[in-house]
Amino acid sequence: MARKTKDIRNVTLSDFYCTKCGMKGIPVFRTIGQEREPGHLKKLFCLHCQEETNMAEIRPRGKYTLDDFWIEYQGGNFTSSGDRIEPWKNFVSNYKKEEK
Ligand SMILES: [Zn+2]
């Protein structure tokens, strides 16, 4: 059977943060079980930049947290076009190692 209607119990609200300005974007609903990998980047319109930018997805109780985003953002792991230089797991674990 095709599931056409979205059951509200099966969706989760993801936050998006702009890789360019670091501001929070417009949240997007995701169907549970169909989420992307942690720290997924998605092209969305940023209200602050007034253009489409890559935004990092942060899910409630997800593996990729706002802390991880800030480490990447402030540590310079995003290029000016919003692409990731290193996989976030590597980048964040290296960063935490250096901090010690
Ligand atoms: Zn922005």
Side-chain angles (χ1 to χ4, degrees):
M1 284 295 276
R3 294 166 43 213
K4 287 225 172 92
T5 48
K6 262 197 179 177
D7 189 329
I8 192 72
R9 290 168 301 180
N10 291 334
V11 296
T12 175
L13 197 59
S14 287
D15 284 333
F16 284 88
Y17 284 82
C18 178
T19 57
K20 199 172 173 185
C21 68
M23 300 290 277
K24 191 176 173 182
I26 302 159
V28 172
F29 279 106
R30 294 286 205 195
T31 305
I32 291 172
Q34 292 179 346
E35 301 101 334
R36 301 305 194 94
E37 75 283 0
H40 175 67
L41 296 176
K42 185 177 168 66
K43 278 249 182 224
L44 289 170
F45 186 81
C46 176
L47 295 173
H48 304 276
C49 298
Q50 289 290 307
E51 62 178 332
E52 266 203 342
T53 62
N54 258 348
M55 296 213 178
E57 177 173 15
I58 297 167
R59 291 201 306 271
R61 298 179 299 280
K63 286 197 178 106
Y64 185 81
T65 64
L66 187 54
D67 275 354
D68 295 324
F69 171 74
W70 281 117
I71 288 170
E72 285 199 285
Y73 182 75
Q74 291 176 338
N77 198 33
F78 297 117
T79 66
S80 55
S81 53
D83 294 314
R84 212 170 239 131
I85 296 162
E86 275 190 72
W88 72 271
K89 266 188 190 167
N90 295 1
F91 189 84
V92 170
S93 64
N94 287 343
Y95 181 92
K96 285 181 178 164
K97 249 180 259 161
E98 280 165 28
E99 229 180 9
K100 273 175 205 161

